[in-house]
């Protein structure tokens, strides 16, 4: 009998479920292994082991959903991607509202079945030790929230394309595009802008829902066997957005043309977006690959030369443009005058992009924050001759001015340091220097810069040497610095680090200070070391009690010139390989 | 009544339907014929509510078809490539249709079992094309439709089974007043069963009449003139003229009596009016629409 409710059809729901029964039966059997592994574990079943199992499930949920969830959604909507199925489904006396809602519910059901099976077994097994109901409900919230994201994203991809293969591709594109874009932006910034580091700034991760929610939402253990859900707000927001996305899918489906089955992109207004998107990302990705292969080694510098990178990006962009055109047209015949304008626009876009980046319109290359704006700056200097790691906080004007002077001097020598072949020159040089800056501004922003260079010019040498003074090193060890609480000092013995007591710590620090005042400096932050010190401090601009404590871990190698320190260490029985050398 | 008015459908830059006007009276068997690519299947998909028109209207029983469950529940169809679930047997498909079509009759399904000699527990994918078509008919007729829309329905059926399914459909037309619209290239067969015919070309219905009206309005004359007839036939409005010896064959779009009267002023040795088959009407009509048989030798 047909359902009386025009928004749901029981027969279609049943058909959707039975149509992929091997999938959920096999997955359910595999899911049973989770509770059974807890039960069969060395410690047997306990509340703690059940909670650990739930944490594992919550942690691995995005990965599981990206495979199993996506397959379940793809199976539900495959009728949209095969003309014969579309014809049959849309000729039936079922409204699109009914087909859509039934499809969504059957997708959710298919995904939930393995969870339900595992959950029932876990509850059954944990009855003797007490069911951790709160942890289970929190896990259910994580699973259902992430499931909604998977279903919404999968359904959206299914609605905008007429091909199951494209649907899967689009699903992963939408879930990882932001992360990928982030790395591309970093890479191009590094290639065009002197001093801009190539590390990811993670500013776009929120646009990759599954990745972001997976990273932000966790089931954490509290005191005893209690648990709490970290990232509840994030989960709630993305859950809500997923419901809105499902509503958008419903609107798309109501207007979707049956004849679009088999199309690469079935929503007409999204075709130009697809064309532009593929072109832009091909230009950026392939352009970078082509440049590295063809010119990277030739020019011997990490900084792009303008004309070659434009050529490489244009070639990559044209490949992407033609490939996207072929997919949209479902034909290889795209080499015609009609597509010429698009190809020309691609090349023009590449030229404009590169010229704008090279022109540094935002003035990023020469930007050094004003001293008043800076909350703290961490400067790391690495080379054989010069090294140090300075955490300079607001108020330490002289030292902050010194490191800013160094940055100004490096920017002044930009042309010298970015000329072709400079990287090859660096690698052949026995002692080149890397300097990292990380400014934390009062506004909460972070500004990072990095430079690689050989200390050849006199002004540069002067500044570098001034940073190596005893006062600076004592500063580095926070020996006279307010607000830094020494958490502990560990001796790096051959077996395992050994923490010193408070008396020994005071005596050791006195010996180090005496040596440093005599001009004998330790080597800090080396790979091989004798001591490690850990300080706890607080951000001066974060006065609220909930502000997290920060840690500064310093590694010290004690050279032979530091006699007092070495004598003290020997007196307490320490004599490491580093010491004897 | 099935009715489309000024139906327009574009696929990208290609206009598949260019203002198709179709009228199928209730209780009739309507044959939709036309050359390949004329737009018959596209038109049928509009009638089934699968495609949405760009312009014009598609109505069945006076109601718009698009997203109209009431109308769609009264329509059963057999497309040229009927879909069944890959693992399904006829029984499974029956259960599916039963849950979807509110008027599905299990009683009818059981009765029709005798008409179709098929194993209902065997997967449909294992059937031959003709057997799959039989299964489609079995299920479609069990839906108790008021409107039966068929696209190349008897393709692949053996002659006995063709008669069987036509007989079943005709009994439905007679007993239940079912309206049948059938698209086919088998004009001989349509001639036997259809009472109305529509000829479609280039996205339009170019001719639509009852079959008898159509046959009455087009006549084939065989004439022998006393003198040379070349000058005479060129002045007569004929769809087609051919000559074999002294015998002229004229296809004229008028009644037989009218045609004979037209020739009365001329001296003739013989004038004979012959009935036209549907195939002849189609060929000569399409000839007038630039779709004639081309005398090309390769």
């Amino acid at each position: 009998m047909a359902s009386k409710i025009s928004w749901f059809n029981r027969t279609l729901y049943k058909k959707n479920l039975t149509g992929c029964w091997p999938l959920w039966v096999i997955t359910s059997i595999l899911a049973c292994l989770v509770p059974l592994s807890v039960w069969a574990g060395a410690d047997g079943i306990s509340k703690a082991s059940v909670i650990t199992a739930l944490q594992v499930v919550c942690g691995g949920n995005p990965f599981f959903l990206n495979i199993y969830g996506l397959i379940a959604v793809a199976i539900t909507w495959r009728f949209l991607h095969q003309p014969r199925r579309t014809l049959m489904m849309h000729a039936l006396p079922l409204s699109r509202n009914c087909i859509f809602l039934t499809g969504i519910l059957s997708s959710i059901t298919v995904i939930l079945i393995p969870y339900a099976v595992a959950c029932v077994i876990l509850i059954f097994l944990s009855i003797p030790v007490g069911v951790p109901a709160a942890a289970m409900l929190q896990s259910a919230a994580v699973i259902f929230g992430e499931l909604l994201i998977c279903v919404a994203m999968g359904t959206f991809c299914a609605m905008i394309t007429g091909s199951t293969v494209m649907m899967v591709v689009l699903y992963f594109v939408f879930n990882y595009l932001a992360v990928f874009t982030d790395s591309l932006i970093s890479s191009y910034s590094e290639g065009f802008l002197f001093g801009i580091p190539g590390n990811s700034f993670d500013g776009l991760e929120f646009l990759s829902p599954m990745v972001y929610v997976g990273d932000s939402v966790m089931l954490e253990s509290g005191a005893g066997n209690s648990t709490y859900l970290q990232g509840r707000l994030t989960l709630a927001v993305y859950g809500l957005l997923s419901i809105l996305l499902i509503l958008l899918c419903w609107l798309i489906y109501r207007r979707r043309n049956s004849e679009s089955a088999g199309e690469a992109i079935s929503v007409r207004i999204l075709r130009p977006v697809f064309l532009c998107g593929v072109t832009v990302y091909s230009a950026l990705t392939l352009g970078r690959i082509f440049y590295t292969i063809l010119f990277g080694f030739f020019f011997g510098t990490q900084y792009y030369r303008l004309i070659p990178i434009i050529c490489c990006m244009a070639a990559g962009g044209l490949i992407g443009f033609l490939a996207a055109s072929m997919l949209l047209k479902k034909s290889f015949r795209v080499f015609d005058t009609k597509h010429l304008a698009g190809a020309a626009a691609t090349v023009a876009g590449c030229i404009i992009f590169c010229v704008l980046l090279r022109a540094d319109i935002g003035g990023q290359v020469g930007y050094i924050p004003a001293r008043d704006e800076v909350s703290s700056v961490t400067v790391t200097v690495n080379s054989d001759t010069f090294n140090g790691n300075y955490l300079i906080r607001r108020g330490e004007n002289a030292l902050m001015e010194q490191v800013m002077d160094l940055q100004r001097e490096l920017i002044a020598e930009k042309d010298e340091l970015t000329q072709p072949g400079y990287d090859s020159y660096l690698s052949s040089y026995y002692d080149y220097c890397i300097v990292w800056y990380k400014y934390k501004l009062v506004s909460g922003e972070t500004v990072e810069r990095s430079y690689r260079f050989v200390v050849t010019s006199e002004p540069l040498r002067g500044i570098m040497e001034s940073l190596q003074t005893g006062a600076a090193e004592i500063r580095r060890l926070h020996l006279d610095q307010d607000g830094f609480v020494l958490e502990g000092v560990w001796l790096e013995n051959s077996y395992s680090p050994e923490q010193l007591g408070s008396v020994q710590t005071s005596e050791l620090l006195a010996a180090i200070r005496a040596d440093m005042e005599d001009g004998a400096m330790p080597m800090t932050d080396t790979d091989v070391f004798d001591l490690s010190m850990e300080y706890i401090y607080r951000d001066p601009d974060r006065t609220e009690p909930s502000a997290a404590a920060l840690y500064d871990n310093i590694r010290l190698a004690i050279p032979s010139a530091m006699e007092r320190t070495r004598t003290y260490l020997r007196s307490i029985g320490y004599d490491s390989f580093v010491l004897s050398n | 009544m099935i009715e489309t008015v000024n139906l327009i459908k574009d696929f990208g830059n290609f206009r598949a339907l260019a203002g198709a006007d179709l009228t199928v009276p209730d209780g009739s068997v309507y044959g939709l014929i036309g050359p390949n690519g004329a737009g018959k299947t596209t038109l049928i998909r509009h009638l089934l509510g699968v495609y949405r028109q760009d312009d014009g209207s598609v109505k069945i029983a006076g109601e718009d078809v698009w997203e109209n469950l009431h109308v769609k529940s009264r329509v059963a169809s057999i497309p040229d490539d009927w879909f069944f679930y890959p693992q399904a047997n006829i029984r499974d498909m029956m259960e599916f249709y039963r849950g979807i079509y509110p008027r599905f009759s299990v009683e009818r399904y059981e009765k029709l079992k005798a008409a179709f000699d098929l194993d209902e527990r065997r997967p449909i994918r294992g059937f031959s094309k003709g057997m799959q078509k039989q299964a489609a008919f079995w299920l479609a007729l069990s839906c108790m439709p008021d409107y039966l829309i068929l696209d190349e329905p008897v393709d692949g059926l053996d002659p006995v089974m063709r008669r069987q399914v036509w007989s079943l459909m005709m009994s439905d037309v007679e007993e239940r007043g079912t309206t049948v619209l059938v698209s086919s290239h088998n004009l001989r067969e349509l001639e036997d069963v259809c009472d109305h015919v529509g000829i479609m070309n280039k996205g339009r219905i170019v001719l639509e009449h009852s079959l008898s009206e159509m046959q009455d309005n087009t006549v084939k004359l065989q004439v022998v003139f006393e003198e040379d007839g070349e000058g005479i036939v060129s002045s007569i409005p004929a769809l087609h003229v051919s000559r074999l010896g002294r015998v002229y064959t004229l296809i004229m779009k008028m009644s037989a009596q009218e045609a004979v009267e037209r020739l009365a002023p001329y001296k003739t040795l013989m004038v004979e009016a012959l009935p036209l088959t549907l195939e002849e009407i189609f060929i000569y009509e399409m000839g007038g629409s630039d779709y004639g048989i081309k005398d090309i030798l390769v």
Side-chain angles (χ1 to χ4, degrees):
Chain A
M1 286 294 291
S3 169
K4 294 274 183 265
I5 310 163
S6 64
W7 285 77
F8 179 76
N9 184 279
R10 203 175 48 197
T11 305
L12 184 61
Y13 177 76
K14 204 173 131 195
K15 196 77 205 166
N16 284 345
L17 258 58
T18 52
C20 60
W21 70 265
L23 177 72
W24 53 259
V25 166
I26 292 169
T27 314
S28 298
I29 292 168
L30 294 174
C32 293
L33 296 177
V34 175
L36 292 177
S37 68
V38 176
W39 177 66
D43 300 330
I45 194 106
S46 67
K47 258 193 177 175
S49 61
V50 172
I51 288 170
T52 306
L54 291 172
Q55 285 173 324
V56 170
V57 169
C58 289
N61 197 43
F63 175 75
F64 175 74
L65 286 173
N66 278 343
I67 299 171
Y68 174 70
L70 180 60
I71 293 173
V73 176
I75 288 176
T76 301
W77 300 118
R78 77 191 139 160
F79 77 87
L80 290 173
H81 306 148
Q82 296 169 6
R84 282 176 66 215
R85 276 182 193 258
T86 311
L87 178 62
M88 186 276 280
M89 192 62 81
H90 288 164
L92 295 173
L94 295 172
S95 70
R96 291 207 175 199
N97 297 339
C98 173
I99 296 173
F100 183 80
L101 187 66
T102 308
I104 291 287
L105 290 177
S106 46
S107 297
I108 291 174
T109 311
V110 168
I111 300 173
L112 278 179
I113 290 171
Y115 289 105
V117 171
C119 180
V120 167
I121 296 174
L122 198 57
I123 290 173
F124 180 75
L125 290 175
S126 57
I127 285 171
V129 293
V131 180
M136 284 199 163
L137 286 174
Q138 287 159 346
S139 306
V142 174
I143 289 164
F144 197 73
E146 291 176 347
L147 178 151
L148 270 182
I149 296 172
C150 172
V151 170
M153 295 284 283
T155 304
F156 179 71
C157 296
M159 290 300 151
I160 63 168
T161 180
S163 145
T164 303
V165 174
M166 275 297 286
M167 178 214 158
V168 172
V169 171
L170 288 176
Y171 178 87
F172 283 104
V173 165
F174 287 143
N175 268 306
Y176 292 93
L177 187 66
V179 178
F180 182 57
T181 305
D182 188 33
S183 78
L184 276 180
I185 290 173
S186 305
S187 138
Y188 272 89
S189 304
E190 185 187 30
F192 274 103
L193 302 174
F194 174 68
I196 306 292
N199 58 326
S200 167
F201 62 94
D202 295 337
L204 298 173
E205 203 186 56
F206 73 96
L207 289 172
S208 290
M210 206 52 118
V211 175
Y212 186 67
V213 171
D215 288 349
S216 313
V217 178
M218 281 165 215
L219 183 67
E220 296 282 8
S221 301
N225 282 327
S226 70
T227 53
Y228 65 96
L229 191 56
Q230 190 186 308
R232 274 174 296 188
L233 183 65
T234 306
L235 188 67
V237 168
Y238 277 87
L240 190 66
L241 288 173
S242 301
I243 292 170
L244 291 176
L245 186 60
I246 289 174
L247 287 175
L248 175 67
C249 294
W250 170 60
L251 294 175
I252 293 173
Y253 179 56
R254 278 168 60 87
R255 296 196 58 79
R256 186 186 161 101
N257 289 327
S258 302
E259 61 268 27
S260 65
E263 303 276 346
I265 297 293
S266 53
V267 179
R268 191 171 288 270
I269 54 166
L270 289 181
R271 287 180 189 174
V273 178
F274 174 75
L275 189 63
C276 290
V278 173
T279 305
V280 167
Y281 277 90
S282 299
L284 293 172
T285 312
L286 295 179
R288 192 176 159 212
I289 293 170
F290 291 163
Y291 185 88
T292 306
I293 293 169
L294 298 173
F295 301 108
F297 299 110
F298 178 72
F299 286 118
T301 172
Q302 71 177 57
Y303 297 103
Y304 294 139
R305 314 313 295 173
L306 193 60
I307 302 298
I309 189 68
I310 287 175
C311 293
C312 290
M313 282 185 71
L318 283 175
I319 289 172
F321 174 76
L322 293 171
S325 302
M326 287 172 188
L327 281 172
L328 289 176
K329 202 179 168 189
K330 292 198 282 185
S331 161
F332 293 127
R333 296 169 190 272
V334 292
F335 302 94
D336 51 31
T337 48
K338 196 178 158 192
H339 289 85
L340 203 61
T346 304
V347 176
C350 293
I351 294 171
I352 292 168
F353 174 81
C354 292
V355 169
L356 287 180
L357 261 182
R358 171 52 53 88
D360 184 25
I361 286 173
Q364 291 297 302
V365 172
Y367 174 65
I368 299 172
R371 211 172 57 206
D372 295 346
E373 294 175 344
V374 178
S375 167
S376 67
V377 55
T378 306
V379 182
T380 306
V381 182
N382 263 332
S383 78
D384 283 353
T385 313
F386 305 101
N387 62 74
N389 191 332
Y390 310 96
L391 174 68
I392 305 160
R393 297 189 302 168
R394 195 150 60 148
E396 298 176 274
N397 294 344
L399 195 54
M400 196 177 286
E401 203 53 51
Q402 259 184 308
V403 296
M404 285 180 167
D405 276 346
L406 173 60
Q407 195 180 355
R408 282 189 202 101
E409 185 56 35
L410 288 166
I411 292 167
E413 294 189 16
K414 186 188 97 176
D415 292 342
E416 181 75 18
L417 304 183
T418 58
Q419 63 182 310
Y422 194 78
D423 276 10
S424 316
Y425 170 65
L426 277 182
S427 56
S428 66
Y429 209 82
Y430 75 95
D431 184 19
Y432 69 86
C433 198
I434 300 172
V435 179
W436 273 88
Y437 285 85
K438 186 169 182 178
Y439 290 100
K440 253 192 102 186
L441 304 186
V442 176
S443 62
E445 283 177 63
T446 302
V447 177
E448 288 185 68
R449 296 289 183 268
S450 82
Y451 305 95
R452 293 196 309 157
F453 58 94
V454 180
V455 184
T456 45
S457 76
E458 279 313 309
L460 211 51
R461 182 177 298 280
I463 300 169
M464 295 296 285
E465 282 172 352
S466 72
L467 282 171
Q468 297 296 112
T469 62
E473 284 297 305
I474 288 171
R475 239 306 268 91
R476 165 69 191 122
L477 301 187
H478 309 305
L479 295 181
D480 294 324
Q481 219 169 354
D482 290 336
F484 283 81
V485 177
L486 186 62
E487 178 76 355
V489 176
W490 286 265
L491 290 182
E492 202 61 18
N493 274 327
S494 20
Y495 301 112
S496 62
E498 177 189 339
Q499 188 171 6
L500 295 183
S502 58
V503 176
Q504 287 177 323
T505 301
S506 308
E507 289 170 353
L508 175 64
L509 290 181
I512 290 173
R513 180 192 292 275
D515 278 337
M516 288 174 76
E517 281 170 355
D518 287 347
M521 297 296 156
M523 294 173 72
T524 51
D525 302 313
T526 50
D527 290 337
V528 184
F529 54 94
D530 296 302
L531 308 172
S532 63
M533 307 164 73
E534 188 163 90
Y535 283 95
I536 297 181
Y537 67 101
R538 290 197 179 274
D539 188 334
D541 296 311
R542 299 283 305 276
T543 51
E544 71 274 18
S546 60
L550 301 172
Y551 293 88
D552 187 16
N553 189 286
I554 308 159
R555 301 182 306 275
L556 297 178
I558 309 297
S560 55
M562 295 182 74
E563 283 181 6
R564 287 189 188 86
T565 310
R566 290 169 71 107
T567 305
Y568 181 75
L569 286 173
R570 282 202 183 94
S571 75
I572 59 172
Y574 179 75
D575 193 358
S576 78
F577 174 81
V578 180
L579 259 180
S580 56
N581 288 282
Chain B
M1 187 165 73
I2 300 173
E3 187 183 38
T4 70
V5 179
N6 192 29
L7 185 59
I8 291 175
K9 180 70 179 178
D10 294 328
F11 295 121
N13 296 327
F14 173 68
R15 177 150 286 190
L17 294 178
D21 296 313
L22 170 101
T23 309
V24 183
D26 274 341
S28 64
V29 180
Y30 186 104
L32 183 62
I33 58 179
N36 298 325
K40 301 184 296 295
T41 299
T42 306
L43 178 65
I44 284 176
R45 287 178 183 180
H46 280 87
L47 298 176
L48 297 177
V50 176
Y51 288 172
R52 185 168 33 180
Q53 68 271 29
D54 294 331
D55 204 358
S57 68
V58 184
K59 292 187 179 194
I60 292 182
E63 293 181 54
D64 284 326
V65 175
W66 179 255
E67 283 293 270
N68 188 330
L69 302 193
H70 175 64
V71 167
K72 286 171 89 173
S73 65
R74 296 173 66 193
V75 179
S77 67
I78 300 178
D80 52 348
D81 50 352
W82 180 60
F83 176 80
F84 50 87
Y85 286 102
Q87 306 294 324
N89 54 36
I90 298 175
R91 192 94 200 157
D92 295 333
M93 288 305 288
M94 183 276 279
E95 293 292 346
F96 180 70
Y97 275 52
R98 187 183 161 198
I100 305 279
Y101 283 89
R103 291 154 47 143
F104 190 92
S105 166
V106 179
E107 192 189 340
R108 182 117 204 261
Y109 171 84
E110 295 296 343
K111 274 187 188 165
L112 286 172
K113 206 182 271 186
F116 299 102
D117 187 22
L118 296 171
D119 178 359
E120 59 176 337
R121 299 282 176 191
R122 197 175 137 197
I124 301 173
R125 68 169 191 278
F127 287 162
S128 69
K129 191 184 170 192
M131 290 160 89
Q132 288 178 0
K133 271 276 156 75
Q134 289 182 50
F137 269 107
W138 186 355
L139 293 166
L141 292 172
S142 302
C143 292
M144 308 296 281
D146 291 335
Y147 298 91
L148 200 50
I149 298 177
L150 315 165
D151 193 0
E152 297 289 351
V154 290
D155 237 24
L157 292 182
D158 63 66
V160 175
M161 194 43 71
R162 279 174 186 232
R163 287 203 167 225
Q164 176 77 62
V165 295
W166 278 120
S167 143
L168 287 167
M169 282 193 288
M170 289 305 118
S171 63
D172 256 23
V173 172
E174 208 172 294
E175 290 162 21
R176 299 182 53 247
T178 306
T179 307
V180 179
L181 184 145
V182 53
S183 150
S184 176
H185 290 294
N186 192 335
L187 305 188
R188 283 284 306 118
E189 200 162 57
L190 287 184
E191 198 168 9
D192 290 343
V193 294
C194 291
D195 44 33
H196 285 74
V197 172
I199 299 179
M200 203 171 179
N201 190 31
K202 294 179 181 170
R204 283 199 175 89
I205 304 286
V206 292
L207 189 72
E208 186 178 68
H209 282 299
S210 72
L211 188 62
S212 57
E213 209 175 15
M214 202 175 270
Q215 284 171 332
D216 286 350
N217 283 341
T218 314
V219 64
K220 180 161 78 174
L221 290 182
Q222 288 195 325
V223 189
V224 179
F225 296 99
E226 276 186 11
E227 299 161 1
D228 181 28
E230 284 300 326
I232 301 168
V233 294
S234 62
S235 64
I236 293 172
L239 285 177
H240 180 82
V241 178
S242 61
R243 180 181 177 181
L244 191 64
R246 289 186 64 190
V247 181
Y248 286 89
T249 303
L250 307 175
I251 309 292
M252 298 170 75
K253 207 165 181 182
M254 54 192 71
S255 66
Q257 193 185 343
E258 208 179 333
V260 173
E261 282 170 9
R262 265 286 174 84
L263 292 172
Y266 307 105
K267 290 179 182 169
T268 55
L269 295 176
M270 183 196 85
V271 177
E272 191 178 4
L274 300 170
L276 243 71
T277 63
L278 182 58
E279 192 165 299
E280 283 170 321
I281 294 172
F282 175 72
I283 289 169
Y284 296 125
E285 279 294 339
M286 295 318 295
S289 306
D290 296 334
Y291 189 69
I293 299 164
K294 295 176 180 68
D295 295 325
I296 299 170
L297 291 173
V298 288

